[in-house]
């Protein structure tokens, strides 16, 4: 994969914005920040540039990042590939 999209849920816009800023500092692109009415939380979608390495430790790191801003890490997908499975 040349890049991955990662998904997070936060209780409020401020928490999502702070997490987005932290991800941008890593060189990631914020694809969207929007209210997900189904779960009543703010959904953050961030794109990680490649190459992708050490996904297991990255997932742990992203869980901790989400926790820091009262949110949850909801996983990743390869844009244009896994979303159609």
């Amino acid at each position: 994969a040349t890049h991955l999209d990662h998904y997070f849920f936060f209780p409020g816009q401020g928490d999502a914005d702070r997490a987005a800023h932290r991800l941008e500092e890593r060189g990631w692109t914020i694809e969207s920040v929007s209210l997900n009415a189904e779960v009543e939380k703010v959904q953050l979608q961030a794109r990680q540039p490649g190459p992708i390495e050490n996904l297991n430790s990255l997932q742990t790191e992203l869980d901790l990042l989400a926790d820091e801003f009262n949110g949850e890490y909801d996983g990743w997908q390869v844009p244009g590939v896994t979303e159609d499975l």
Side-chain angles (χ1 to χ4, degrees):
T2 57
H3 51 268
L4 293 178
D5 282 353
H6 295 272
Y7 297 87
F8 302 84
F9 289 102
F10 296 94
Q13 186 71 42
D15 292 317
D17 289 343
R18 285 188 290 279
H21 180 70
R22 183 79 60 83
L23 293 168
E24 286 175 323
E25 288 177 338
R26 297 174 75 148
W28 292 24
T29 304
I30 303 308
E31 295 293 310
S32 67
V33 179
S34 59
L35 180 64
N36 182 315
E38 187 177 316
V39 295
E40 297 181 354
K41 293 183 180 180
V42 178
Q43 181 177 322
L44 167 63
Q45 178 184 351
R47 183 159 290 172
Q48 175 191 8
I52 309 303
E53 298 174 353
N54 211 350
L55 194 53
N56 285 340
S57 65
L58 176 64
Q59 287 178 286
T60 301
E61 191 178 327
L62 295 177
D63 278 330
L64 292 172
L65 173 75
D67 286 347
E68 183 179 343
F69 297 105
N70 307 306
E72 58 192 79
Y73 175 59
D74 193 47
W76 58 271
Q77 67 183 19
V78 178
V81 177
T82 53
E83 66 236 15
D84 297 327
L85 296 178

